[in-house]
Amino acid sequence: MRKHNEVGFYKLSKYNSMVKSGMLTVSLILFLSMISCGSKQEKKVIADENPVRPNIVFILADDLGIHDLSVTGSNYYETPNIDRIAKEGTVFTQGYAASQVCSPSRASIMTGQSTARHGVTDWIGAASGSDRKGNNKIMPASYNHKLDANAITLPEAFKENGYTTFFAGKWHLGDTPSTPENNGYDINVGGWEVGSPKGGYFSPWVNPKLPNKEAGENLSMRLAKETNQFIEKQDGTPFFAMLSFYAVHGPIQTSEEAWSKYREKAEEQGIADTGFEMERILPIRTKQDNPVYAGLVEQMDKAVGVVLNRLEELGIADNTIIVFTSDNGGVASGDAFSTSNLPLRGGKGYQWEGGIREPYFIKVPYVKAAPKEIDYPVTGADLYPTLLDLAGLPQKPNQSKDGVSLKPLFTGEKINERSLFWHYPHYGNQGGEPSSMIRKGNYKLIYYWESSKSELYNLSSDPSEQNDIARANVELTAQLQEELLNYLDEVGANKPIANPKYDAAKAKKLYQDRKNRLLPRLEAERKNMLSKDYEPNATWWDSKVTKD
């Protein structure tokens, strides 16, 4: 695997300079006071005993990689609106998803628990155990296909405290009765059991919770408009609104205009002869030059802008906390092979940093001296207690057992070092291997269920995870592995079992077929997408469909 790419880390001065020198740490910016300035409500600081209850807008992207934003280092994708959240808020430079795939990560956001604890360890709908077909060394563990009915979800916690709750977009946390409506949301627009945009990103789509209105309408923009309509009706009532985009999940689609813009941009930057290389199991993308994916990212960014602008127009932006993050790494292998996460290794489905590192932004507008960057490692499970704390609401310690409130970091305080855990005892469609991970300090250990062996990386000196130091650090490896396995036992995590029918020779042949056939095909498809006469179909995935 190569170690470098034209894609850098955060374009935020201190962090960017430290990454160039191989370091990930960054000093917290301390501040002296917190000032609130709600425009239509009484001004208070969040440290008051009875603060004005802020609104929450939680924006969750699907499959967006750590470097898929211009503010996080891309020189190809253009995301001025999402960048705005980062620049006006606080960037957690070591932000993680709770899993390398979607449903588990989303369940952790909703429950404040790790995937090993809540049991939704794979994307809902994936086969497990003996039901999974294929020549694998192990049979993937079973997993929960819905949220625990007894869980007090994040929107339920807000609803208990007088908030109106709203959900728009991708749910993928189970079918009836595990629906948004049964998990704390007063209103659900577009959320059902399906995890991808069935029917595509332009109307007519297939979604029983989102009727088609205008031919050719963009899905991301529609979800943003629905969110605005909800916000406009609140009239002073505090609200919790989750805008959960289907973008940028495959199938990747965009308009001809956006494709043309980014095809020309790729040409101006210089189209490389190759854009893929082999990882352990599948080819992986090494270049950000996919003009269709770039257009899809831009469509989502414009939709974010529509919501941000409406908050300003309504005069409530100064009393609205905004969260932006993603549910797993960018798709570099499998699915649409859309983007590159380099210099981080891997992507969606993978056990390396590219599979779990995310944009992780929180804007608390009435805290004027909030740090611009925080390097404390955080996960999606932390958002549950953090948002309750920032809103001045009671915590749910018996529910959010794995998350911690990050509010002290906004006040210049410190949080004790802790261990973070991931549990994915499954085979990813993208080439990831059944594994569990622990991060403690600068060290990250990956335990592989196929071999019962571990890799160890020092992320401060090796963020690209190229140098496995397990053999050189036997004692540390043993300690971290023991802590990880003890934690999994403690929470009752499901585990895989060996597959007696595994054929090693067959697996080797499959790898060679992927290298000799799939890799050249992907390169040809990449070049075709960048050619001047590229046309997916006559209507450009229905973006050209005219109104009746």
Side-chain angles (χ1 to χ4, degrees):
M1 285 296 296
R2 66 186 65 191
K3 295 184 180 181
H4 301 289
N5 189 35
E6 67 273 13
V7 180
F9 279 150
Y10 289 94
K11 290 181 178 176
L12 296 171
S13 57
K14 276 191 177 180
Y15 190 63
N16 195 43
S17 64
M18 287 186 175
V19 168
K20 288 181 180 178
S21 65
M23 301 298 291
L24 284 177
T25 57
V26 63
S27 299
L28 293 180
I29 300 174
L30 303 180
F31 57 89
L32 300 176
S33 62
M34 300 179 299
I35 306 171
S36 79
C37 50
S39 60
K40 287 189 175 181
Q41 304 183 50
E42 181 184 355
K43 297 181 180 179
K44 291 179 179 283
V45 297
I46 60 173
D48 283 352
E49 293 183 5
N50 297 299
V52 171
R53 291 180 296 175
N55 307 307
I56 311 291
V57 173
F58 193 131
I59 305 173
L60 180 62
D62 190 22
D63 291 358
L64 187 79
I66 180 63
H67 299 309
D68 285 351
L69 305 173
S70 44
V71 75
T72 55
S74 178
N75 63 1
Y76 187 58
Y77 311 131
E78 298 176 14
T79 55
N81 296 294
I82 299 172
D83 295 351
R84 199 170 124 203
I85 301 172
K87 292 173 181 177
E88 295 176 358
T90 296
V91 172
F92 287 81
T93 57
Q94 297 190 65
Y96 287 97
S99 175
Q100 50 266 63
V101 295
C102 56
S103 297
S105 182
R106 291 164 182 268
S108 292
I109 291 171
M110 290 287 287
T111 64
Q113 298 178 1
S114 75
T115 60
R117 191 185 298 274
H118 61 59
V120 182
T121 53
D122 205 356
W123 59 273
I124 294 176
S128 61
S130 59
D131 291 333
R132 179 176 173 100
K133 308 301 179 185
N135 180 44
N136 303 308
K137 286 185 179 180
I138 61 174
M139 291 187 287
S142 59
Y143 67 94
N144 292 337
H145 289 241
K146 60 183 179 180
L147 291 175
D148 181 357
N150 295 318
I152 301 173
T153 64
L154 179 57
E156 285 174 334
F158 273 91
K159 193 172 179 179
E160 287 178 0
N161 288 276
Y163 277 69
T164 305
T165 56
F166 171 86
F167 184 89
K170 174 173 174 173
W171 177 244
H172 206 190
L173 287 173
D175 197 356
T176 305
S178 185
T179 62
E181 297 93 326
N182 287 337
N183 281 283
Y185 288 106
D186 296 315
I187 301 171
N188 167 35
V189 179
W192 59 317
E193 67 267 25
V194 173
S196 61
K198 202 168 183 181
Y201 283 100
F202 298 96
S203 181
W205 46 68
V206 179
N207 188 321
K209 299 290 187 176
L210 188 66
N212 289 279
K213 289 184 177 180
E214 300 178 9
E217 182 179 20
N218 177 259
L219 177 59
S220 297
M221 190 60 72
R222 170 68 178 278
L223 294 174
K225 290 178 179 178
E226 294 282 352
T227 302
N228 279 353
Q229 289 175 17
F230 162 77
I231 292 172
E232 291 163 1
K233 295 177 181 177
Q234 299 319 299
D235 193 27
T237 302
F239 61 83
F240 177 96
M242 175 167 274
L243 173 52
S244 176
F245 288 109
Y246 283 94
V248 287
H249 194 289
I252 59 170
Q253 299 174 350
T254 192
S255 65
E256 184 176 15
E257 292 76 15
W259 162 82
S260 179
K261 169 185 173 180
Y262 285 102
R263 192 209 68 79
E264 292 175 5
K265 187 170 184 178
E267 193 172 63
E268 290 169 0
Q269 293 181 348
I271 298 174
D273 291 336
T274 61
F276 293 89
E277 62 187 25
M278 286 300 296
E279 244 302 346
R280 284 185 183 169
I281 295 173
L282 282 173
I284 192 165
R285 195 176 190 105
T286 60
K287 298 294 181 184
Q288 286 190 351
D289 61 1
N290 184 328
V292 174
Y293 182 75
L296 179 57
V297 171
E298 182 179 281
Q299 290 165 8
M300 180 182 67
D301 182 74
K302 287 182 176 178
V304 170
V306 166
V307 175
L308 298 182
N309 292 340
R310 193 63 184 133
L311 292 172
E312 294 283 356
E313 293 163 358
L314 293 171
I316 59 174
D318 285 344
N319 195 46
T320 301
I321 295 171
I322 298 175
V323 174
F324 180 87
T325 192
S326 178
D327 59 356
N328 49 247
V331 182
S333 286
D335 301 345
F337 292 86
S338 307
T339 191
S340 171
N341 301 291
L342 288 174
L344 297 185
R345 188 176 180 183
K348 177 183 179 180
Y350 280 95
Q351 58 273 15
W352 297 301
E353 293 289 278
I356 53 178
R357 283 287 297 278
E358 304 302 329
Y360 196 114
F361 312 147
I362 303 178
K363 178 185 175 183
V364 188
Y366 41 85
V367 182
K368 295 303 182 184
K372 299 307 296 180
E373 299 174 356
I374 293 174
D375 72 335
Y376 183 79
V378 298
T379 77
D382 296 326
L383 291 166
Y384 188 120
T386 298
L387 291 175
L388 289 179
D389 208 2
L390 288 171
L393 303 181
Q395 289 292 326
K396 299 283 186 182
N398 292 328
Q399 175 59 52
S400 56
K401 294 181 178 180
D402 297 295
V404 301
S405 173
L406 306 177
K407 179 183 172 182
L409 300 177
F410 286 87
T411 65
E413 301 173 48
K414 293 184 178 181
I415 299 176
N416 293 335
E417 180 182 276
R418 57 178 173 152
S419 298
L420 300 179
F421 301 96
W422 292 263
H423 184 53
Y424 187 65
H426 309 281
Y427 290 94
N429 295 339
Q430 302 79 21
E433 299 161 73
S435 57
S436 298
M437 294 101 78
I438 177 175
R439 173 168 177 177
K440 193 170 189 177
N442 290 325
Y443 292 98
K444 176 183 169 187
L445 179 135
I446 305 173
Y447 177 82
Y448 290 91
W449 290 100
E450 287 185 336
S451 63
S452 299
K453 295 180 179 179
S454 294
E455 294 173 351
L456 180 67
Y457 299 99
N458 184 337
L459 296 179
S460 66
S461 59
D462 182 25
S464 299
E465 293 169 293
Q466 297 295 310
N467 182 27
D468 176 11
I469 59 174
R471 289 186 179 181
N473 296 270
V474 175
E475 185 176 350
L476 177 60
T477 299
Q479 290 174 352
L480 291 175
Q481 181 173 304
E482 182 180 18
E483 182 179 351
L484 170 62
L485 296 179
N486 285 343
Y487 173 80
L488 296 179
D489 287 340
E490 175 190 330
V491 300
N494 290 332
K495 300 171 185 176
I497 60 175
N499 179 9
K501 298 181 180 180
Y502 173 69
D503 186 332
K506 186 177 179 181
K508 185 176 181 180
K509 182 180 183 300
L510 178 60
Y511 176 85
Q512 290 300 323
D513 285 345
R514 287 167 171 168
K515 182 177 181 180
N516 299 329
R517 297 181 182 181
L518 178 57
L519 185 60
R521 178 172 65 81
L522 290 170
E523 291 287 11
E525 291 175 354
R526 169 177 166 264
K527 290 293 181 67
N528 179 47
M529 202 172 283
L530 287 162
S531 66
K532 293 182 179 180
D533 58 354
Y534 173 73
E535 185 180 59
N537 57 29
T539 65
W540 278 80
W541 299 295
D542 293 335
S543 66
K544 285 186 174 181
V545 173
T546 57
K547 298 178 182 179
D548 294 332

